[in-house]
Amino acid sequence: MTHTLAELDAIRADCRRMVTRRAAISAGASVVPVPGADLVADVGILKKMLPQISERFGLRADQVEKMDSTRAQQVLAIAASLGNKVIGHTITKHVVLLLLRRMGVRVATASVARYVPFIGSAVAATISFGAMKLAGNAHIEDCYTTARALAGLDDARP
């Protein structure tokens, strides 16, 4: 799983593109006039996207379990120091809902904005897009930092 800085940078760039695509899907779901449809879509998107990001960096739960115990402990310690409860753990609906709750004001605002005539859907889509980008990119940066530290590249700046 040891990566070079160039490999990590390429993985990070690829993951950012994936997050942007998924954020666009989230924005599209937010304009559906069915209450809760956006939340269901966001949970599904995050439940798939976060493990995919972790996997690209070699930090998905099953990948960490296959590491020797010292290395696995390092992964979990670095992730904990970053406040990341996703790296090295199985992503459940509960974990995703906790993440969405941390972004609660944005999610609630998007849900309410949808009902404002004319511009409400655009506002809801913009907020959903931004919230998904924020969640995805934050996870990318945590994975990048963790993988960089494991590879002995932690003195480099992102």
Side-chain angles (χ1 to χ4, degrees), residues 104-150:
V105 173
R106 286 189 175 105
V107 173
T109 303
S111 294
V112 171
R114 174 183 3 202
Y115 299 106
V116 175
F118 304 113
I119 65 165
S121 292
V123 171
T126 301
I127 292 170
S128 286
F129 182 85
M132 190 62 60
K133 285 274 289 183
L134 179 70
N137 286 339
H139 185 59
I140 290 168
E141 291 308 311
D142 288 350
C143 287
Y144 180 83
T145 300
T146 302
R148 195 177 63 196
L150 289 174

Side-chain angles (χ1 to χ4, degrees), residues 60-113:
R60 200 179 59 211
D62 61 330
Q63 293 170 313
V64 172
E65 288 171 8
K66 292 177 184 173
M67 295 176 182
D68 66 75
S69 61
T70 303
R71 192 120 170 117
Q73 287 175 349
Q74 285 178 318
V75 168
L76 297 176
I78 294 166
S81 74
L82 296 170
N84 188 304
K85 294 177 177 30
V86 177
I87 293 173
H89 293 85
T90 302
I91 309 300
T92 63
K93 183 178 174 182
H94 177 72
V95 170
V96 171
L97 288 173
L98 287 175
L99 179 62
L100 287 173
R101 190 173 299 144
R102 283 182 27 198
M103 299 185 317
V105 173
R106 286 189 175 105
V107 173
T109 303
S111 294
V112 171

Side-chain angles (χ1 to χ4, degrees), residues 48-59:
K48 280 185 79 173
M49 181 177 67
L50 296 176
Q52 288 174 334
I53 293 168
S54 295
E55 179 181 16
R56 292 296 316 276
F57 286 96
L59 299 171

